[in-house]
Amino acid sequence: MTSAARADGVPRDELPRIALAGRSNVGKSSLINALCRAKIARTSAAPGKTRLVNFYRVTVEGGPGGPGRWSAYLVDLPGYGYARGGPEAAAELASVAEAYFADDEQQPPTALLLVDSRHPELRADAAAAAWLKRLGVETRLVATKIDKLSRTERARNLGTLEQSLGMSALPVSAASGEGMDELWRTIARLARTVE
Ligand code: GTP
Ligand code: MG
């Protein structure tokens, strides 16, 4: 619907906004496409594709999120911390996302924090989780690219991730579609905490 480089470009209407945060290349834009079953967000094998804060207004009728018609913004944030460590990565996310999350009196901020299921222990992700927590952002953890793991790796990595970030993780794959219904339920619940 719109792209914002600064805080004054952020739509501040009454619709719930759910941000997708995560390292560059983690699969944020791909997940938006998989959720919507449409190529609306640009993706790339090279990290750093999404540079603006992009707003996708979705309207859902029935489906896994529950009965009735509801709308929300899925907000594709620029990725942080590619090939870089914790504090710098957090600062980088902060610089682009701070304005987005800042002093919104209309609704409590919500986010999906995406972590690559192959790398469950990166400092950058722990720093981002801490940063979101400090800002009071209602956050749900999503483990991406789960199709790339064997059954053994999957169990081990999800355990490690949940331990290191202290939240339960929802495994998803934009490639296979795994976890999309559960993710829609999570998004619907977050959207309804806002309404
Ligand atoms: P930035 O915009 O740079 O922050 O990246 P992003 O988080 O939006 O990542 P993007 O969706 O562009 O995906 C990065 C790469 O990972 C692309 O090559 C995707 O095809 C690939 N990818 C994304 N999701 C999945 C997945 O679930 N499974 C597999 N196998 N590959 C994926
Ligand atoms: Mg992107």
Side-chain angles (χ1 to χ4, degrees), residues 25 27-30 41-44 48-51 54 76-79:
N25 215 45
K28 298 175 294 297
S29 301
S30 300
R42 286 207 199 127
T43 64
S44 166
K49 181 70 186 172
T50 307
R51 296 193 173 276
N54 291 309
D76 193 2
L77 296 176

Side-chain angles (χ1 to χ4, degrees), residues 4-166:
R6 301 183 317 163
D8 58 11
V10 173
R12 296 285 186 204
D13 58 25
E14 77 292 350
L15 284 187
R17 294 184 294 275
I18 292 112
L20 282 78
R23 259 185 351 127
S24 204
N25 215 45
V26 72
K28 298 175 294 297
S29 301
S30 300
L31 199 56
I32 288 177
N33 292 340
L35 281 165
C36 299
R37 294 198 201 135
K39 285 212 162 179
I40 52 178
R42 286 207 199 127
T43 64
S44 166
K49 181 70 186 172
T50 307
R51 296 193 173 276
L52 298 170
V53 180
N54 291 309
F55 290 83
Y56 299 93
R57 189 184 159 141
V58 297
T59 298
V60 182
E61 183 96 59
R69 185 188 175 91
W70 55 281
S71 296
Y73 291 108
L74 297 179
V75 184
D76 193 2
L77 296 176
Y80 56 83
Y82 190 77
R84 264 186 274 173
E88 301 90 341
E92 200 182 330
L93 172 64
S95 73
V96 289
E98 203 160 64
Y100 169 75
F101 286 117
D103 51 55
D104 184 354
E105 275 136 36
Q106 289 177 53
Q107 48 178 257
T110 63
L112 303 172
L113 176 59
L114 275 55
V115 173
D116 190 322
S117 58
R118 294 169 299 175
H119 308 292
E121 275 186 303
L122 294 176
R123 283 172 56 214
D125 292 323
W131 185 79
L132 289 167
K133 193 172 180 185
R134 203 156 55 238
L135 278 181
V137 179
E138 189 69 33
T139 304
R140 301 289 176 272
L141 180 60
V142 176
T144 64
K145 306 191 186 182
I146 200 74
D147 59 282
K148 296 217 179 205
L149 300 185
S150 70
R151 279 172 67 95
T152 325
E153 289 169 325
R154 176 190 171 111
R156 188 183 57 212
N157 287 17
L158 286 173
T160 305
L161 176 61
E162 292 183 338
Q163 277 255 300
S164 72
L165 296 192

